[in-house]
Amino acid sequence: MDVKFQDTQANNTKQLNSSKQPSHSKRSKTFSVAEAVVKILEDMGVQYAFGVSGGAIAPVWAALHQSSIQVLHFRHEAGAAFAAIEAYFASDRPVVVFTTTGPGITNALTGLLAARWEGAKVIFVSASTSAPQRGRWACQETSTYTMPSAGIFTSGQIFHYATTLESSDELPEVSRRLALGLGQPEGFVAHISIPTNIQTSSLKTSLPRVTLSHGVVTATEETIAKSVQLLCEGPFAIWVGFGARGAAKEIRQLAERTGAAVMCSPRGKGIFPENHPQFVGVTGFGGHESVLRYMQEQRPWHILVLGTRLGEFTSFWNPVMIPRRGFLHIDIDPKIPGTAYPSIETFAVQSDVRLFVKGLLRYFPQGLGLSTARSLPKPVHNVVHPSRADRVLPNILMSVIQQLIVEGSDALVMAEGGNSFAWAINLLQFVKPGRFRASTGFAAMGHTVTGVVGAAIARQGKAVAIVGDGAMLMLNEVNTAVKYQAPAVWIVLNDGRYNMCEQGMTCLGFNAVDAAIPQADFVKIAQGMGANGICVQKEYDIQAALKKAMASPDPFVVDVLIEPTRLAPIGSRLDSLIWQGATNY
């Protein structure tokens, strides 16, 4: 990656959408720090900047508008951050989030924590109070007098790299650190805080040309040979996670050459085709009973774990998922293997998953596959014929989504935290990678209802969010989608309650709870914000409504009145909570 600073003012072509407002700030003869920072971001491949403006960040905001970066002004900072995560995964390019001082920063933190958990590449640019005004109760003062410094303005658990830019002399080091972080294979979340007076100060130093060459982490030939030896000891299974999304072709080849059973994490849906005869199901939250049956009836000697942390939502640390002789765990992050099951023998390998699997394939020639697929358990998807009930059964809705959206389009499908997670993970089937997204780690409500906007914009095509009414009321960016004509679709499971909470509490033995929500009319809400919408009250109306939504060039909300009594497939989550002590029995 080359990172350099040069005056391309005369040659730059503004690539701004029609909704952008021209900057009224007078351009200085020399570059300001704000302009220099934006130029660095351009050179690092940033195409989008999402955020909410404010007086303290005005110079950076104006500089962004004068650049080739497309600037989208959101309604809430958390929404901007969630959208940035999904724009990154849709485009594979780093995305900027910008906010003003004080609450602008704290509002964004939930989304930025989610970015860290998800492994996205996001650069957070915020304002801070100028030095002469610190400690004097400036408006939304952002300094060590009023806000905690550790974690927000320093590198740590939120940000891989964080700094406050106090002088233009620090720009070369900031540039170098950003380039290093963005060049690494795993995620990278950075925070550059710039005092308002520094943003407008003149650049006092030239930025050096930084040429970085990043080698991909891979296992040695000796490690690959040892892995082959372990896998050849007896039948093995492959556990596919989101971190293996770049190795779909190689994983399928390995499975078919060896006859290995394949399972996937909730985020890993579609990396290995879910209709493949060797696929035994999704593990963890919303997962399939067929996986547990396979592990109980045909327990493999080893499990080859590819690109998943095996965290609670993927494994629930279930002892049934432990193979006879341990795990072979491959991940780009050396801290991950062995963490979920610390007492179980694990052969840990730090490597890019694709390169590792390619290495294995040299030892498993064509035609070696075992004829085991017929005996493997398969996921069961219960099909219920439509009825004339006044409410829609969730599994019927998922069946039509499968037919019209998953199989009938190339749209990205996303699932929001809550029962939407469970229904989508359990009932939807994907046969290609990159078609499904869910945040099952940090799992913040509001991630998908706002992230769908970033995904639709970055992929320049349809993105569909399956969400609950609680999440839709908590945080959405429908109005932002209207402004920038993002082809986003929201399918709202409207049951008038936080139903995962209500159902879960009842199953745990806590009956005296109130999770009800006054029934909202999301069609009127959508229309009030400039979007289109349609209400679905009966199952026979689902197909026509979804066809209309997918054909619409504008943002579209489908308000589906869901039967609330149908229990979502969340049993494994409840078992985990009971095991952790969250029960009244």
Short mmCIF file of all heavy atoms in Angstrom, two decimals, residues 113 116 149-162 177 189:
data_model
loop_
_atom_site.label_atom_id
_atom_site.label_comp_id
_atom_site.label_asym_id
_atom_site.label_seq_id
_atom_site.Cartn_x
_atom_site.Cartn_y
_atom_site.Cartn_z
N LEU A 113 -17.85 -0.69 18.86
CA LEU A 113 -17.57 -1.95 19.55
C LEU A 113 -18.01 -3.14 18.70
O LEU A 113 -17.32 -4.16 18.61
CB LEU A 113 -18.26 -1.99 20.90
CG LEU A 113 -17.48 -1.38 22.07
CD1 LEU A 113 -18.41 -1.12 23.25
CD2 LEU A 113 -16.34 -2.29 22.49
N ARG A 116 -15.47 -3.85 16.08
CA ARG A 116 -14.32 -4.60 16.62
C ARG A 116 -14.67 -6.09 16.70
O ARG A 116 -13.89 -6.95 16.29
CB ARG A 116 -13.96 -4.04 17.99
CG ARG A 116 -12.81 -4.76 18.72
CD ARG A 116 -11.46 -4.42 18.11
NE ARG A 116 -10.37 -5.06 18.84
CZ ARG A 116 -9.53 -4.44 19.68
NH1 ARG A 116 -9.68 -3.13 19.92
NH2 ARG A 116 -8.55 -5.10 20.27
N SER A 149 -10.46 9.02 29.30
CA SER A 149 -9.52 8.93 28.18
C SER A 149 -9.23 7.48 27.81
O SER A 149 -9.22 7.13 26.63
CB SER A 149 -8.21 9.64 28.53
OG SER A 149 -7.27 9.49 27.50
N ALA A 150 -9.00 6.65 28.81
CA ALA A 150 -8.62 5.26 28.56
C ALA A 150 -9.73 4.53 27.80
O ALA A 150 -10.90 4.56 28.20
CB ALA A 150 -8.33 4.55 29.87
N GLY A 151 -9.38 3.91 26.71
CA GLY A 151 -10.32 3.11 25.94
C GLY A 151 -10.99 3.88 24.83
O GLY A 151 -11.22 3.34 23.75
N ILE A 152 -11.32 5.16 25.06
CA ILE A 152 -11.98 5.95 24.02
C ILE A 152 -10.95 6.68 23.16
O ILE A 152 -11.06 6.71 21.93
CB ILE A 152 -12.96 6.97 24.64
CG1 ILE A 152 -14.06 6.23 25.43
CG2 ILE A 152 -13.60 7.84 23.55
CD1 ILE A 152 -15.05 7.14 26.10
N PHE A 153 -9.95 7.26 23.79
CA PHE A 153 -8.94 8.03 23.07
C PHE A 153 -7.58 7.34 23.08
O PHE A 153 -6.58 7.92 22.65
CB PHE A 153 -8.82 9.43 23.67
CG PHE A 153 -10.12 10.20 23.63
CD1 PHE A 153 -10.94 10.26 24.75
CD2 PHE A 153 -10.54 10.82 22.47
CE1 PHE A 153 -12.14 10.95 24.72
CE2 PHE A 153 -11.74 11.52 22.42
CZ PHE A 153 -12.55 11.58 23.55
N THR A 154 -7.52 6.11 23.60
CA THR A 154 -6.27 5.34 23.61
C THR A 154 -6.53 3.95 23.06
O THR A 154 -7.65 3.44 23.12
CB THR A 154 -5.72 5.22 25.05
OG1 THR A 154 -6.70 4.57 25.87
CG2 THR A 154 -5.39 6.59 25.63
N SER A 155 -5.51 3.33 22.54
CA SER A 155 -5.63 1.98 22.01
C SER A 155 -5.99 1.03 23.13
O SER A 155 -5.51 1.15 24.26
CB SER A 155 -4.30 1.56 21.36
OG SER A 155 -3.89 2.50 20.40
N GLY A 156 -6.87 0.07 22.83
CA GLY A 156 -7.29 -0.87 23.87
C GLY A 156 -8.36 -1.79 23.37
O GLY A 156 -8.29 -2.31 22.25
N GLN A 157 -9.40 -2.02 24.19
CA GLN A 157 -10.42 -2.99 23.86
C GLN A 157 -11.42 -2.50 22.82
O GLN A 157 -12.08 -3.31 22.17
CB GLN A 157 -11.18 -3.39 25.14
CG GLN A 157 -10.31 -4.09 26.17
CD GLN A 157 -9.63 -5.32 25.59
OE1 GLN A 157 -10.25 -6.17 24.96
NE2 GLN A 157 -8.32 -5.42 25.79
N ILE A 158 -11.57 -1.19 22.66
CA ILE A 158 -12.48 -0.66 21.63
C ILE A 158 -11.73 -0.45 20.33
O ILE A 158 -12.17 -0.89 19.27
CB ILE A 158 -13.13 0.66 22.08
CG1 ILE A 158 -13.85 0.49 23.42
CG2 ILE A 158 -14.11 1.16 21.02
CD1 ILE A 158 -14.42 1.77 23.98
N PHE A 159 -10.59 0.23 20.41
CA PHE A 159 -9.84 0.59 19.21
C PHE A 159 -8.48 -0.10 19.18
O PHE A 159 -7.75 -0.11 20.18
CB PHE A 159 -9.65 2.11 19.15
CG PHE A 159 -10.94 2.88 19.14
CD1 PHE A 159 -11.35 3.58 20.26
CD2 PHE A 159 -11.74 2.90 18.02
CE1 PHE A 159 -12.54 4.28 20.28
CE2 PHE A 159 -12.93 3.61 18.01
CZ PHE A 159 -13.34 4.30 19.14
N HIS A 160 -8.17 -0.65 18.03
CA HIS A 160 -6.83 -1.21 17.86
C HIS A 160 -5.78 -0.10 17.92
O HIS A 160 -4.67 -0.30 18.41
CB HIS A 160 -6.72 -1.91 16.49
CG HIS A 160 -7.59 -3.12 16.35
ND1 HIS A 160 -8.87 -3.06 15.85
CD2 HIS A 160 -7.36 -4.42 16.67
CE1 HIS A 160 -9.40 -4.28 15.83
NE2 HIS A 160 -8.51 -5.12 16.33
N TYR A 161 -6.16 1.07 17.41
CA TYR A 161 -5.26 2.23 17.45
C TYR A 161 -6.11 3.47 17.67
O TYR A 161 -7.12 3.68 17.01
CB TYR A 161 -4.48 2.35 16.13
CG TYR A 161 -3.73 3.66 15.96
CD1 TYR A 161 -2.71 4.00 16.85
CD2 TYR A 161 -4.04 4.54 14.93
CE1 TYR A 161 -2.02 5.20 16.71
CE2 TYR A 161 -3.34 5.74 14.78
CZ TYR A 161 -2.34 6.05 15.67
OH TYR A 161 -1.64 7.24 15.55
N ALA A 162 -5.70 4.30 18.64
CA ALA A 162 -6.42 5.54 18.93
C ALA A 162 -5.42 6.60 19.34
O ALA A 162 -4.46 6.33 20.07
CB ALA A 162 -7.47 5.33 20.01
N ARG A 177 0.56 4.35 11.05
CA ARG A 177 -0.18 3.42 11.89
C ARG A 177 -1.49 2.98 11.23
O ARG A 177 -1.89 1.81 11.34
CB ARG A 177 -0.45 4.06 13.25
CG ARG A 177 0.79 4.29 14.10
CD ARG A 177 1.39 2.98 14.60
NE ARG A 177 0.48 2.29 15.50
CZ ARG A 177 0.45 2.47 16.82
NH1 ARG A 177 1.30 3.31 17.39
NH2 ARG A 177 -0.40 1.80 17.56
N VAL A 189 -10.03 -1.32 13.79
CA VAL A 189 -10.88 -0.18 14.13
C VAL A 189 -10.00 0.88 14.79
O VAL A 189 -9.36 0.61 15.81
CB VAL A 189 -12.02 -0.59 15.08
CG1 VAL A 189 -12.94 0.59 15.37
CG2 VAL A 189 -12.83 -1.74 14.48
#
